[in-house]
Amino acid sequence: MNSSNVNFSLLQSQPNIPPEFFWPENDLTPSEGDLNLPIIDMSGFLNGDEAETQRAAKAVREACMTHGTFLVINHGFKSGLAEKALHISSLFFGLPKDEKLKAYRTPGNISGYTAGHSHRFSSNLPWNETLTVAFKKGPPQVVEDFLTSKLGDRRQEIGQVFQEFSEAMNRLNLELMELLGISMGLKDRTFFRRFFEDGNAIFRCNYYPPCKQPEKALGVGPHNDPTAITVLLQDDVVGLEVFASGKWQTVRPRPGALVVNVGDTFMALSNGNYKSCFHRAVVNMEKVRRSLVYFSCPREDKLIIPPPELVEGGETSRKYPDFTWHQLQRFTQSGYRVDNTTLEKFSSWIASDSSKN
């Protein structure tokens, strides 16, 4: 089974899902209630209110040291942009299969359309379709150019809206990086903002169709994002769950809010002070669920080295070796399936041979 022949419309008409989509029981443990996340109002920070900024930074610090996730509101998005982007994602995934396959993700590439990620794995397949595009601040308009080149001028609106949405996410990402620096009490509060200003990103649309056996399947299996931070827009359907306090807990959608998750790269950049968020996506029998995701990454060749204040005992107190995003990305794309031990396994892998690049 590969992405080009996974057809969720046909699978939904069958009484049972194929066994390739079954997940182990320990990955399917049900959620035990809702996770009470701090809601960070960004307006004070964005308007230069220092008292509000410090209040927000304190809440961010507590969340990141505990489970690595929080919500943000009043984040500066243009009115209606989030709703429009979700609508356009539905438009894309509603296209005929052969039209979506014009943007098929070929082996070795980040950008493109997949169904079930079966181009990479043969079991424990995720019950989802994705559209992924590598992003970098332009010109050129890389998201729009990629999608229009694949889908044609008739579908130009898809690329235009996702380009605008990615640019808004990029601006927010840099603001969040500064707030994270403030939350850590760095002397240079712009350290992380400057670190990621010339960085890259990955924009992804997730589409989770209804599933006849949701108790056996997952939209995305349990994992930590290998990237720096992830900013997620959910629609109004429940599906995101975070592992916190020894149990899975639901992150309920909140109108106007975005979810921010710490990833492995930022955990390394914080010298382990901030926790990479362990999370998954569940599916349901009746409703489609959609999410739009922005994964921030440093420039490929930039060394991931924590700021001096976070390495109080000198080099001996470093929790992770020096590495570049290029090295970590190569590790995660070489057949290794990301989980909650990725950073430790990668650190051992890189430390075993300093010539890896």
Side-chain angles (χ1 to χ4, degrees):
M1 184 181 289
N2 61 55
S3 293
S4 60
N5 63 29
V6 171
N7 189 323
F8 281 106
S9 295
L10 292 177
L11 293 179
Q12 286 172 262
S13 66
Q14 299 174 6
N16 297 304
I17 66 174
E20 292 93 335
F21 290 94
F22 290 0
W23 283 75
E25 285 188 18
N26 60 314
D27 290 334
L28 297 166
T29 307
S31 169
E32 298 182 42
D34 295 348
L35 182 59
N36 185 25
L37 290 183
I39 301 168
I40 310 301
D41 188 335
M42 294 287 289
S43 58
F45 168 71
L46 295 175
N47 292 324
D49 184 323
E50 188 60 22
E52 288 297 318
T53 294
Q54 292 299 330
R55 187 175 293 114
K58 182 176 183 290
V60 166
R61 179 177 179 82
E62 290 173 355
C64 290
M65 293 187 75
T66 307
H67 42 59
T69 185
F70 55 92
L71 303 179
V72 293
I73 59 172
N74 297 323
H75 36 65
F77 275 32
K78 187 174 77 176
S79 177
L81 176 59
E83 294 79 7
K84 188 174 184 180
L86 281 171
H87 169 73
I88 290 296
S89 75
S90 293
L91 174 66
F92 172 79
F93 290 112
L95 293 175
K97 181 76 173 181
D98 60 348
E99 196 164 352
K100 287 185 284 191
L101 286 175
K102 290 179 180 177
Y104 176 63
R105 178 178 170 183
T106 55
N109 288 318
I110 289 291
S111 299
Y113 165 79
T114 66
H117 280 278
S118 49
H119 64 295
R120 292 187 62 199
F121 305 110
S122 59
S123 63
N124 305 148
L125 298 183
W127 189 264
N128 72 11
E129 298 179 50
T130 67
L131 176 65
T132 305
V133 187
F135 172 82
K136 188 172 181 62
K137 186 179 179 182
Q141 314 289 8
V142 290
V143 174
E144 181 177 349
D145 290 351
F146 173 81
L147 291 172
T148 302
S149 72
K150 298 295 184 182
L151 301 174
D153 291 342
R154 193 163 65 96
R155 303 296 183 190
Q156 192 171 14
E157 184 186 19
I158 294 175
Q160 289 172 339
V161 172
F162 286 159
Q163 178 72 39
E164 183 181 7
F165 186 79
S166 297
E167 290 174 357
M169 282 285 207
N170 181 60
R171 289 190 293 271
L172 175 60
N173 173 65
L174 293 178
E175 302 289 1
L176 288 167
M177 287 299 178
E178 183 169 340
L179 186 58
L180 285 163
I182 296 168
S183 76
M184 287 186 171
L186 300 186
K187 293 174 185 175
D188 177 6
R189 63 197 284 169
T190 66
F191 179 93
F192 294 128
R193 175 193 277 269
R194 290 186 297 103
F195 191 91
F196 287 93
E197 273 180 340
D198 60 353
N200 305 303
I202 301 165
F203 167 69
R204 176 170 295 158
C205 308
N206 290 313
Y207 181 86
Y208 305 98
C211 178
K212 288 285 178 66
Q213 295 177 285
E215 73 284 355
K216 292 185 177 294
L218 288 170
V220 179
H223 69 288
N224 297 57
D225 295 329
T227 44
I229 65 170
T230 303
V231 185
L232 169 78
L233 170 66
Q234 303 192 81
D235 65 7
D236 59 356
V237 179
V238 170
L240 175 63
E241 295 182 352
V242 168
F243 194 79
S245 302
K247 58 188 177 183
W248 289 105
Q249 300 183 61
T250 300
V251 177
R252 291 200 170 271
R254 178 186 170 92
L258 299 169
V259 182
V260 181
N261 291 341
V262 174
D264 285 347
T265 295
F266 196 88
M267 183 164 72
L269 196 56
S270 75
N271 201 33
N273 286 287
Y274 281 7
K275 308 304 178 191
S276 184
C277 178
F278 190 38
H279 60 288
R280 68 183 183 184
V282 298
V283 290
N284 69 83
M285 290 185 72
E286 289 94 25
K287 294 181 178 180
V288 166
R289 178 174 175 264
R290 302 158 299 163
S291 66
L292 304 179
V293 194
Y294 181 94
F295 303 96
S296 67
C297 321
R299 197 181 69 219
E300 284 195 338
D301 61 347
K302 188 173 284 190
L303 280 176
I304 309 302
I305 301 175
E309 300 99 301
L310 303 182
V311 193
E312 294 178 350
E315 285 299 305
T316 56
S317 65
R318 286 282 301 277
K319 295 186 178 174
Y320 306 101
D322 292 354
F323 66 90
T324 64
W325 167 241
H326 172 75
Q327 291 171 313
L328 178 55
Q329 186 177 38
R330 186 162 67 89
F331 179 73
T332 61
Q333 294 294 315
S334 62
Y336 177 80
R337 194 164 199 154
V338 295
D339 54 22
N340 63 336
T341 63
T342 301
L343 191 53
E344 285 71 23
K345 290 175 180 173
F346 169 71
S347 296
S348 299
W349 177 79
I350 202 105
S352 68
D353 183 356
S354 60
S355 69
K356 291 186 173 81
N357 56 49

